[in-house]
Amino acid sequence: MKTHDQHGRGRSRRPGRSRLLAAVGATALVLSAGLTTPPASAAPRAATVADARAAQGTAGAQDSAGSKGSKGSKVLTVAVAQSVDSLSPFLAVRLLSTSIHRLMYEYLTNYDPKDGHVIPGLATSWQSSPDKLTWTYTIRNNSRWSDGQQATAEDAAWTFRKMMTDQGAATANGSFVANFSEVSAPSPTRLVIRLKKPQATMTALDVPIVPKHVWEKVGDFSKFNNDKSFPIVGNGPFVLTAYKPDSYVRLRANTSFWRGAPKFDELVFRYYKDQDAAVAALRKGEVSFVAGSPSLTPAQAASLKGQKNIHVNDAPGRRFYALATNPGARARNGKKFGDGDPSLLDQRVRHALFMAVDRRTVVGKVFQGHAVEGQGYVPPRFATYFWKPSAGQELRYDPAGAARLLDEAGYRRNADGKRVGKDGKPLNYRLLCHATDPNDKAVGKYLQEWWGKLGIGVTVDCLDNVTDPWLAGKYDLAFDGWSVNPDPDFVLSIHTCGALPATPKDTGATDDFICDRTYDQLYARQLAEYDPAARAKVVKQMESRLYDLGYMNVMAYPNAVEAYRTDRIRSITTMPSAAGNIYGQDGYWSWWSAVPANSGDSSGGGTPSGVIIGIVAGVVVLVGLAGFLALRRRATADDRE
């Protein structure tokens, strides 16, 4: 979440969006970067069915070796605790899935790994009309699909038009095109998007562009998972060649990738239901990298620090860890569904629950200092949009105050000390928990204790698959978490009324069925606002509104804690480069840049040359845009996520 990390979306949901950056600053960055000229493009090599069969044949014992794939190849194996929800970029919302899509498909723009500002992707440049209602993108002529065909503006136009006209295709990323009125491709290198009203996210359309000649054959986009025929045609740095649900995803380096081929020949994501087993596999050299779920626990990280040939990366994260309440599942057609406890429709009850949560204990005892206390919806890593409540607004840890709120709401203690409503029914909540996340289980025990003292019963339901009951609205509360991007538009959009499913039978982009008209009005204002300071002010008002509603309560901002073997990986790019995450980035930099330990390549951990090339390509357009707007960063996932 979803790039939920959790409920699927990098729930941490999606990796990557970015929005607008000052043209002058971008130009200065380019001038100081020590620029190089791009290397000649490698000869195109299309992945073949033989590649897929070879990959499937080596996916067992050779995966477990961590460094051996097809004979003589260099394989990077990553242990993950999340399974794939879909290999269709039109449906996927989990952090793992959307991260894989970034490896498979190009987006119009990308984000510099150093600081997340926008740089060229499939589009080499872009410009807006004076009224900001028409955007024209120049599509690069050196990007090819892995089956050998040229990637063109028509592929991008078709991708967006399909999302505009097919509800199934709009499941994951429909918010990006809701304001589009027309999309065309006048030439193979020219894409034109016309808007209904100004949209500040036009340099951060976090949508994988797919090959029209492949996807136009798909029937039902709401059901097609893109997981039956391999290799899957793409134009990213890797080509997906094999997949086994809840087991592994195998990708082969795309030697014709326009930025240059990855240095590892193959990349394998191997699923571990038990995170301790994944850590043990790292120690034994069966995998080269452990991502956690999405982070390692403090105990796991401590056990790895100081170990020979193992490096632990511990950096400020881009996600939040929260409690979500069921506000009454409903669809856009007005139909209600699910079985959330009606007591949670009372704001006083929701506030009381959060006032009984000791966030200091969550950070100190559960995360053991590898996190900071949660406040607003956007983590402090993104200073432009970081918000925290005022002293009078804050729902501080106050069990006595929580008890008073419950009394006011009509839920008083009976003779047994249980909170009961006017109907005499005691408050007993079901709390959805991710079975693969040790933090959920640990925090769940604290909540049982804290809420138990208030007279509220709690059943912690730790499931391998929380997505099904979540989407069906069959829960009371749930652990939630999303990877936020430098630009928070996507994670803000999932709480709008428009994100609700069309009918109870459909799947929407909503996180937990929040629908508030005041919030929607603020969302529309920020989306149409090009002035960075003015937009940030509105975004903070949205965070304040979410906080006061109390449907989503942020407990902590966890660090990104992950580990890899230095005898397998010589160097790898973090994002941001100074102190950032490796897994679940706003881009493909980590896996694309990773250098095998036994490689003769002397690349260090700095900004890859291909990134510098991309920055150079974007200078002209950034200067051209300076006359009418200041570009600002917009990046998720997503965690989109």
Side-chain angles (χ1 to χ4, degrees):
M1 120 62 44
K2 266 158 147 276
T3 216
H4 207 181
D5 289 333
Q6 305 286 333
H7 130 206
R9 308 182 182 197
R11 268 157 205 156
S12 231
R13 172 170 173 131
R14 306 194 114 57
R17 306 170 193 240
S18 162
R19 200 189 135 207
L20 302 168
L21 164 81
V24 174
T27 305
L29 173 63
V30 173
L31 294 176
S32 65
L35 304 174
T36 60
T37 55
S41 298
R45 174 191 179 278
T48 65
V49 174
D51 289 335
R53 289 172 178 165
Q56 289 169 327
T58 60
Q62 291 174 337
D63 275 359
S64 65
S67 61
K68 297 179 181 179
S70 302
K71 187 175 181 180
S73 66
K74 298 171 184 176
V75 180
L76 172 53
T77 303
V78 178
V80 295
Q82 188 181 68
S83 58
V84 170
D85 56 341
S86 177
L87 289 179
S88 166
F90 297 98
L91 300 178
V93 290
R94 291 185 180 174
L95 182 61
L96 172 62
S97 308
T98 55
S99 296
I100 290 171
H101 287 142
R102 282 198 169 275
L103 302 174
M104 297 168 59
Y105 305 104
E106 274 280 42
Y107 295 38
L108 288 183
T109 58
N110 210 322
Y111 314 99
D112 188 281
K114 183 177 180 179
D115 59 10
H117 75 264
V118 65
I119 61 174
L122 183 61
T124 60
S125 63
W126 46 88
Q127 62 182 4
S128 169
S129 60
D131 64 3
K132 304 175 187 176
L133 294 178
T134 300
W135 284 75
T136 302
Y137 302 82
T138 299
I139 303 301
R140 65 177 59 257
N141 59 13
N142 62 339
S143 177
R144 304 192 72 84
W145 299 110
S146 53
D147 61 3
Q149 293 199 35
Q150 179 73 31
T152 70
E154 180 57 30
D155 293 308
W158 184 89
T159 299
F160 292 130
R161 287 197 300 261
K162 175 56 66 172
M163 294 167 58
M164 293 165 63
T165 58
D166 188 314
Q167 183 175 295
T171 298
N173 300 308
S175 63
F176 288 108
V177 302
N179 184 44
F180 289 11
S181 64
E182 182 183 357
V183 182
S184 62
S187 77
T189 58
R190 188 164 173 254
L191 172 72
V192 179
I193 300 177
R194 292 184 173 84
L195 306 174
K196 301 172 186 175
K197 56 186 177 181
Q199 181 170 325
T201 60
M202 294 305 290
T203 59
L205 298 174
D206 194 20
V207 176
I209 303 303
V210 302
K212 174 184 176 181
H213 66 280
V214 174
W215 283 83
E216 64 184 353
K217 301 171 186 176
V218 174
D220 190 343
F221 275 73
S222 68
K223 297 179 180 178
F224 180 70
N225 281 314
N226 199 27
D227 59 359
K228 296 296 186 290
S229 179
F230 300 96
I232 295 175
V233 178
N235 64 339
F238 289 90
V239 176
L240 200 153
T241 57
Y243 166 63
K244 183 178 180 181
D246 297 327
S247 182
Y248 65 84
V249 179
R250 180 180 285 276
L251 303 102
R252 183 181 298 277
N254 181 1
T255 57
S256 65
F257 183 51
W258 70 270
R259 234 185 252 278
K263 296 175 179 64
F264 275 92
D265 301 308
E266 292 181 277
L267 175 62
V268 177
F269 292 95
R270 179 163 289 284
Y271 173 71
Y272 285 82
K273 181 178 178 181
D274 184 337
Q275 190 164 295
D276 286 332
V279 172
L282 182 75
R283 285 199 190 91
K284 292 185 287 187
E286 295 175 352
V287 301
S288 300
F289 184 99
V290 172
S293 63
S295 292
L296 299 178
T297 67
Q300 290 165 343
S303 73
L304 291 173
K305 284 183 177 178
Q307 294 288 309
K308 184 179 179 181
N309 296 325
I310 292 179
H311 173 74
V312 176
N313 183 51
D314 187 350
R318 56 187 285 257
R319 62 181 295 266
F320 61 77
Y321 183 74
L323 275 172
T325 61
N326 185 342
R330 52 182 158 168
R332 292 201 302 273
N333 66 1
K335 296 292 181 64
K336 296 182 179 180
F337 57 97
D339 58 4
D341 195 301
S343 65
L344 293 171
L345 299 179
D346 192 319
Q347 184 185 51
R348 292 169 297 184
V349 174
R350 300 192 299 271
H351 282 186
L353 291 175
F354 195 53
M355 288 168 63
V357 174
D358 187 351
R359 289 171 291 166
R360 183 171 300 179
T361 293
V362 171
V363 170
K365 298 295 185 181
V366 177
F367 290 99
Q368 296 182 26
H370 298 274
V372 295
E373 287 185 38
Q375 299 181 87
Y377 194 65
V378 177
R381 171 165 155 177
F382 306 113
T384 300
Y385 300 107
F386 177 62
W387 169 89
K388 55 184 179 181
S390 64
Q393 182 182 20
E394 185 179 4
L395 300 173
R396 291 187 294 270
Y397 178 56
D398 182 4
R404 288 194 295 272
L405 277 180
L406 290 171
D407 287 342
E408 292 174 12
Y411 295 94
R412 297 181 176 274
R413 293 182 185 269
N414 63 11
D416 297 324
K418 304 295 183 183
R419 293 279 173 180
V420 297
K422 294 179 180 179
D423 58 1
K425 182 181 177 181
L427 291 183
N428 287 294
Y429 294 132
R430 300 158 299 164
L431 174 61
L432 272 181
C433 156
H434 303 83
T436 57
D437 193 336
N439 295 324
D440 281 9
K441 297 174 183 177
V443 175
K445 291 180 180 179
Y446 278 113
L447 295 179
Q448 286 177 316
E449 175 188 341
W450 294 331
W451 292 346
K453 290 178 180 178
L454 286 176
I456 298 173
V458 181
T459 299
V460 181
D461 296 328
C462 291
L463 307 175
D464 291 336
N465 174 15
V466 302
T467 300
D468 288 346
W470 196 311
L471 294 179
K474 294 184 176 180
Y475 68 98
D476 298 323
L477 298 109
F479 289 108
D480 200 0
W482 284 82
S483 289
V484 179
N485 310 302
D487 184 293
D489 177 76
F490 180 82
V491 290
L492 296 173
S493 75
I494 59 178
H495 298 309
T496 60
C497 299
L500 295 175
T503 73
K505 294 181 179 180
D506 295 308
T507 299
T510 185
D511 184 24
D512 57 356
F513 306 102
I514 294 174
C515 178
D516 177 73
R517 297 302 175 186
T518 299
Y519 180 87
D520 274 20
Q521 291 169 2
L522 291 170
Y523 177 78
R525 281 176 54 194
Q526 67 82 30
L527 186 61
E529 180 57 70
Y530 280 83
D531 178 77
R535 180 169 182 254
K537 183 177 180 180
V538 179
V539 168
K540 290 177 181 179
Q541 291 175 333
M542 295 176 68
E543 294 182 74
S544 179
R545 180 65 178 174
L546 270 183
Y547 187 90
D548 288 343
L549 288 173
Y551 292 119
M552 174 72 69
N553 292 304
V554 177
M555 293 182 285
Y557 308 115
N559 285 4
V561 186
E562 49 206 353
Y564 63 89
R565 294 195 64 92
T566 56
D567 57 348
R568 301 287 172 76
I569 303 173
R570 178 192 298 178
S571 64
I572 193 166
T573 299
T574 61
M575 186 176 185
S577 55
N581 54 295
I582 296 172
Y583 176 72
Q585 292 182 354
D586 301 306
Y588 40 64
W589 310 115
S590 53
W591 313 123
W592 174 74
S593 71
V595 178
N598 60 352
S599 170
D601 193 310
S602 60
S603 299
T607 302
S609 61
V611 177
I612 296 176
I613 295 164
I615 296 172
V616 176
V619 175
V620 175
V621 66
L622 288 173
V623 173
L625 287 173
F628 76 97
L629 71 98
L631 290 183
R632 224 171 4 100
R633 298 198 269 277
R634 178 195 197 276
T636 152
D638 82 356
D639 176 45
R640 247 179 178 124
E641 168 123 7

